[in-house]
Amino acid sequence: FFNSIHAAFKCAVDVGKILQVVTSSTNSQIGANNQDTDTFNFERSITLSSASNKVLAICNVNAMSNGGSGRMSGKLLWNTTSGGTSGTQIPFTQIANDSFDTSGMSSLTLVNLFSPNTTDTIYVKNIVSKNDNGTQWYVQRYSNYSYMTLMEIKN
């Protein structure tokens, strides 16, 4: 009886356990003068120990300057290839700020728990874009840092 309780408790404790944590940061200013064009910002890779495990992705994009008016979008994608703007979209969010540079920079946070169902190395990418008008925009303006943390979670 006690052996079966112990086995059930051990199994329950193992589920949700953090198996690994990887982080990345960047302070490389990215900017463009375009509208509704996905732009690669930065990424982090992780290789899961089991295809049944999940990934908790947390990304803070800072010092977003939106060219005076309108919205800026941020999203996370994951893929088994590095770079670019293709992949499976996980979270997506927007900010709106009607000022530019030191008059008003914004930040956004993207958080998602997802199941890639693979043990291949995956790349979680931060993608940004400017909406509403094609004025100059930036992220990591004035060398501010943005961060990404990926955690492998036992399923």
Side-chain angles (χ1 to χ4, degrees):
F1 173 76
F2 290 110
N3 286 340
S4 62
I5 290 175
H6 176 70
F9 177 74
K10 183 178 178 191
C11 179
V13 169
D14 281 347
V15 172
K17 181 178 178 182
I18 298 172
L19 301 177
Q20 67 172 306
V21 177
V22 294
T23 62
S24 181
S25 65
T26 184
N27 70 337
S28 296
Q29 179 175 283
I30 304 293
N33 192 340
N34 58 24
Q35 179 180 344
D36 300 323
T37 302
D38 283 347
T39 303
F40 176 83
N41 187 16
F42 73 116
E43 69 184 358
R44 182 63 171 110
S45 65
I46 190 168
T47 304
L48 302 183
S49 59
S50 170
S52 64
N53 291 342
K54 297 181 179 192
V55 175
L56 176 61
I58 304 166
C59 182
N60 297 93
V61 182
N62 295 308
M64 300 178 77
S65 179
N66 74 353
S69 66
R71 297 169 293 146
M72 285 189 68
S73 301
K75 60 185 166 184
L76 293 180
L77 306 175
W78 76 267
N79 202 335
T80 54
T81 57
S82 177
T85 58
S86 64
T88 302
Q89 182 176 312
I90 32 183
F92 168 84
T93 193
Q94 294 181 320
I95 58 127
N97 192 352
D98 289 336
S99 57
F100 187 62
D101 278 353
T102 57
S103 298
M105 292 187 291
S106 299
S107 63
L108 59 83
T109 301
L110 301 154
V111 179
N112 192 266
L113 180 67
F114 65 100
S115 302
N117 298 312
T118 185
T119 56
D120 292 342
T121 298
I122 64 165
Y123 299 85
V124 178
K125 309 169 190 185
N126 172 239
I127 307 298
V128 292
S129 63
K130 171 80 169 100
N131 310 106
D132 303 322
N133 60 50
T135 55
Q136 182 68 45
W137 60 266
Y138 301 97
V139 294
Q140 290 95 233
R141 186 74 162 144
Y142 303 115
S143 299
N144 281 278
Y145 278 86
S146 292
Y147 304 91
M148 185 181 303
T149 301
L150 305 177
M151 297 179 215
E152 179 182 5
I153 308 294
K154 186 170 178 63
N155 192 20

